[in-house]
Amino acid sequence: AAMLPLALGAVSVLVTGALIFWLSRTMEMSIFTTNMASMIGIGVAVDYSLFVLARYREEIAAGREPEQARGVALATSGIAVVFSGLTVIASLAGLLLIDTTALRSMAIGAMLVVAVSVLAASTLLPALISLFGRRAHEPGRLLGRLAVAARSRVRARQRVPHAPFWERWTARVMRRPVVAIVAAGSVLLALGIPALSMQTADGALDQFPAGHETRVGFEAAAALGGPGAGAPITVMARARDGAIGTGVNAAAVRAVRATLARDAGLVSVAAPAPSNDGRAALVTAIPRYDGESPQAQALVQRLRDALPATAAAQRLQLDVGGSTAALKDFNRKVSGSLWLIVFFVLALSYVVLLVLLRSAILPLKAVLMNLLSVSAAYGVIVAVFQWGWVDGLFGFQSLGHVDTITPPLVLAVVFGLSMDYEVFLLSRIKERFSAGADTRAAVAGGLASSARTITSAALIMCAVFATFVATGVPSIQQIGLGTAVAIAVDATIVRLVLVPAAMAVLGRWNWWLPRPLDRVLPRSDFDRLPATATAALATGAAVPGPGSRSA
């Protein structure tokens, strides 16, 4: 049983790698696409298969036959996996709104691996469970005996029977829900405070540690040719009328060159190079600063402001480019589009959860709580990589800024993966509520039945992301750290404290749905199980009631 989720993770990453390879033959893709797909794929595939497998083993323990158990597992946790995968894909699709190759290709890689993981958990996993038979649910000869012996010793020490830990925990949280909300919310807000001072920047050499041969090579070249020799600023001058090299147009180009030569931030300005059609000319200038430095970006902005104001610009169309300008434009495009990604992810996630849970309040609560998880992840990233709180520890070295692609990627990934646990937890809660339990009993039962699996899945996910923190590449380190922190916070503070406390405060309002929506929204039918699944299989087996363990 332990090998099945690992096998699903390996298969999902392998298949996605093949798909990325074929896509890369027709479109340009970021070098980090495979990192992103591997990071997301291993965690998601293991999570999805673990949830289906855990439900299957739960049904077996409740007395069902293997075929019945597989049907119930797929009709409950399987549906939750599909909705969860759709939510993750929808969150990642928000990255496609930014017209940049890096983000779009990384988003495509992550979306592919999530889709493959859902498909594998829905088809390959049931086949493997059937193939391995009792080995998929019976305890192992050695570890199983040790676990049974340990549980027997615990029961023997307990003179008075106790409720399971998670039921006691939920009851304690729901006894004073307002206190729990204030305490948990304060912790999350405190973690997110550093995010208010986030500064983003982008640079290729920043990805290499000091002393790396690539960085040393660039530094040696800069020592010979000057800091800005490797990143010249280019000014493209296009004639609005006539040829670029004659008459007033030629005089205008000379004026542009003279304006560049007077700028103290430039070391030299080359002679204009005319285009083959004679309609444009390229003027190349060497800056005094490193091409990825803030001074070089300020120089680009200064030239963009000054050149259009010259008299020569009336005859010419002027564009300031080069690698420094490209970095500046990329940073502005990504940062300026972040609000659009936020809106898209929030709206689409709300709609998916609205259809699944048939509640107008629960999706809103989930969205707000996931925003707290994202803000906590941002805060930790800023503290580590911008403020340098742990410099030198575990190989961290702060850059003084956060990589430009980190905020949108962390937002999309964390929001999608956080919705995973929200879907699995709330689907279990709604299953009990639909079976006749009141809100407090449904929350207690749903949390007790899913908390162990959710915390195990979150621990696996955090372990996967933590390995990418050790890659030594800052952009991947930031994504790995941010997602690991967010998942850890989400599976503990949010799922185990905020969710039950908020649902206790809301009471019957948790399940409020306007009548017009109630008539048009489709029904997932997962909340009618296990009765529906049992009837569909035509076995005639008894269905556990709302008060039983399996219910």
Side-chain angles (χ1 to χ4, degrees), residues 156-307:
R157 289 196 299 266
Q158 293 178 348
R159 295 183 180 180
V160 180
H162 291 285
F165 169 78
W166 292 114
E167 290 185 10
R168 301 198 308 271
W169 171 270
T170 307
R172 191 176 298 115
V173 170
M174 298 180 73
R175 194 176 300 124
R176 294 181 177 85
V178 176
V179 174
I181 291 174
V182 172
S186 299
V187 172
L188 293 178
L189 290 175
L191 288 174
I193 286 176
L196 298 175
S197 62
M198 180 185 292
Q199 296 179 357
T200 60
D202 192 48
L205 291 182
D206 288 342
Q207 303 299 315
F208 299 98
H212 191 278
E213 59 183 8
T214 300
R215 193 162 184 170
V216 170
F218 271 92
E219 291 171 351
L224 293 176
I233 294 176
T234 56
V235 179
M236 176 66 72
R238 294 183 178 87
R240 300 182 187 277
D241 185 28
I244 194 71
T246 59
V248 291
N249 289 334
V253 173
R254 290 193 296 270
V256 169
R257 186 189 178 194
T259 302
L260 294 174
R262 288 193 296 270
D263 195 295
L266 297 174
V267 175
S268 62
V269 181
S275 62
N276 292 334
D277 62 1
R279 302 281 301 176
L282 185 69
V283 182
T284 303
I286 304 300
R288 195 176 299 277
Y289 319 106
D290 174 63
E292 296 180 356
S293 65
Q295 296 92 334
Q297 296 197 27
L299 172 62
V300 168
Q301 188 60 50
R302 186 166 67 248
L303 294 177
R304 285 177 169 177
D305 293 338
L307 289 178

Side-chain angles (χ1 to χ4, degrees), residues 464-485:
V464 171
F465 291 146
T467 60
F468 286 86
V469 178
T471 60
V473 181
S475 60
I476 298 299
Q477 281 184 326
Q478 291 173 17
I479 297 171
L481 178 64
T483 47
V485 169

Side-chain angles (χ1 to χ4, degrees), residues 390-416:
V390 294
D391 273 8
L393 187 64
F394 305 122
F396 281 110
Q397 187 63 43
S398 62
L399 304 175
H401 63 263
V402 176
D403 200 78
T404 303
I405 65 173
T406 297
L409 282 174
V410 169
L411 171 70
V413 172
V414 168
F415 221 89

Side-chain angles (χ1 to χ4, degrees), residues 64-89:
R64 296 186 184 277
E65 294 298 321
E67 186 177 356
Q68 287 180 285
R70 287 196 305 273
V72 173
L74 287 176
T76 52
S77 294
I79 289 180
V81 163
V82 173
F83 272 92
S84 178
L86 290 175
T87 305
V88 177
I89 292 174

Side-chain angles (χ1 to χ4, degrees), residues 125-455:
L125 180 60
L128 291 177
I129 291 175
S130 177
L131 179 65
F132 286 108
R134 61 181 180 82
R135 294 182 180 274
H137 59 82
E138 287 187 359
R141 293 182 179 179
L142 177 60
L143 296 179
R145 291 175 181 175
L146 293 176
V148 170
R151 286 194 294 267
S152 299
R153 287 194 296 270
V154 171
R155 284 195 295 266
R157 289 196 299 266
Q158 293 178 348
R159 295 183 180 180
V160 180
H162 291 285
F165 169 78
W166 292 114
E167 290 185 10
R168 301 198 308 271
W169 171 270
T170 307
R172 191 176 298 115
V173 170
M174 298 180 73
R175 194 176 300 124
R176 294 181 177 85
V178 176
V179 174
I181 291 174
V182 172
S186 299
V187 172
L188 293 178
L189 290 175
L191 288 174
I193 286 176
L196 298 175
S197 62
M198 180 185 292
Q199 296 179 357
T200 60
D202 192 48
L205 291 182
D206 288 342
Q207 303 299 315
F208 299 98
H212 191 278
E213 59 183 8
T214 300
R215 193 162 184 170
V216 170
F218 271 92
E219 291 171 351
L224 293 176
I233 294 176
T234 56
V235 179
M236 176 66 72
R238 294 183 178 87
R240 300 182 187 277
D241 185 28
I244 194 71
T246 59
V248 291
N249 289 334
V253 173
R254 290 193 296 270
V256 169
R257 186 189 178 194
T259 302
L260 294 174
R262 288 193 296 270
D263 195 295
L266 297 174
V267 175
S268 62
V269 181
S275 62
N276 292 334
D277 62 1
R279 302 281 301 176
L282 185 69
V283 182
T284 303
I286 304 300
R288 195 176 299 277
Y289 319 106
D290 174 63
E292 296 180 356
S293 65
Q295 296 92 334
Q297 296 197 27
L299 172 62
V300 168
Q301 188 60 50
R302 186 166 67 248
L303 294 177
R304 285 177 169 177
D305 293 338
L307 289 178
T310 61
Q314 298 177 3
R315 304 266 332 157
L316 307 173
Q317 177 185 339
L318 301 173
D319 297 304
V320 179
S323 59
T324 302
L327 287 177
K328 181 178 178 62
D329 294 341
F330 178 79
N331 192 15
R332 185 180 67 250
K333 179 182 293 186
V334 174
S335 300
S337 302
L338 187 59
W339 69 270
L340 186 59
I341 299 177
V342 171
F343 176 79
F344 179 85
V345 169
L346 296 186
L348 209 52
S349 299
Y350 181 87
V351 171
V352 172
L353 288 178
L354 177 67
V355 174
L356 175 67
L357 301 172
R358 295 183 60 81
S359 166
I361 302 299
L362 288 179
L364 180 61
K365 176 189 66 64
V367 166
L368 294 177
M369 290 183 180
N370 286 346
L371 283 177
L372 290 176
S373 298
V374 172
S375 66
Y378 282 174
V380 173
I381 291 174
V382 170
V384 172
F385 290 96
Q386 184 174 317
W387 293 355
W389 280 10
V390 294
D391 273 8
L393 187 64
F394 305 122
F396 281 110
Q397 187 63 43
S398 62
L399 304 175
H401 63 263
V402 176
D403 200 78
T404 303
I405 65 173
T406 297
L409 282 174
V410 169
L411 171 70
V413 172
V414 168
F415 221 89
L417 297 181
S418 296
M419 284 297 180
D420 276 1
Y421 304 130
E422 188 78 15
V423 166
F424 287 116
L425 174 58
L426 292 181
S427 63
R428 285 294 185 97
I429 293 174
K430 191 171 190 298
E431 184 179 333
R432 282 149 181 78
F433 181 80
S434 299
D438 61 24
T439 298
R440 285 181 175 267
V443 172
L447 186 59
S449 64
S450 61
R452 180 181 176 184
T453 307
I454 287 177
T455 50

Side-chain angles (χ1 to χ4, degrees), residues 444-530:
L447 186 59
S449 64
S450 61
R452 180 181 176 184
T453 307
I454 287 177
T455 50
S456 300
L459 183 61
I460 294 171
M461 191 83 77
C462 291
V464 171
F465 291 146
T467 60
F468 286 86
V469 178
T471 60
V473 181
S475 60
I476 298 299
Q477 281 184 326
Q478 291 173 17
I479 297 171
L481 178 64
T483 47
V485 169
I487 295 301
V489 166
D490 189 79
T492 53
I493 298 177
V494 173
R495 298 292 155 245
L496 303 181
V497 180
L498 278 180
V499 169
M503 294 190 73
V505 171
L506 291 171
R508 297 288 300 186
W509 282 102
N510 285 296
W511 317 107
W512 178 75
L513 183 67
R515 289 184 179 179
L517 285 178
D518 184 48
R519 288 193 295 267
V520 300
L521 286 180
R523 295 183 180 273
S524 63
D525 284 342
F526 77 90
D527 54 336
R528 298 183 181 182
L529 297 169

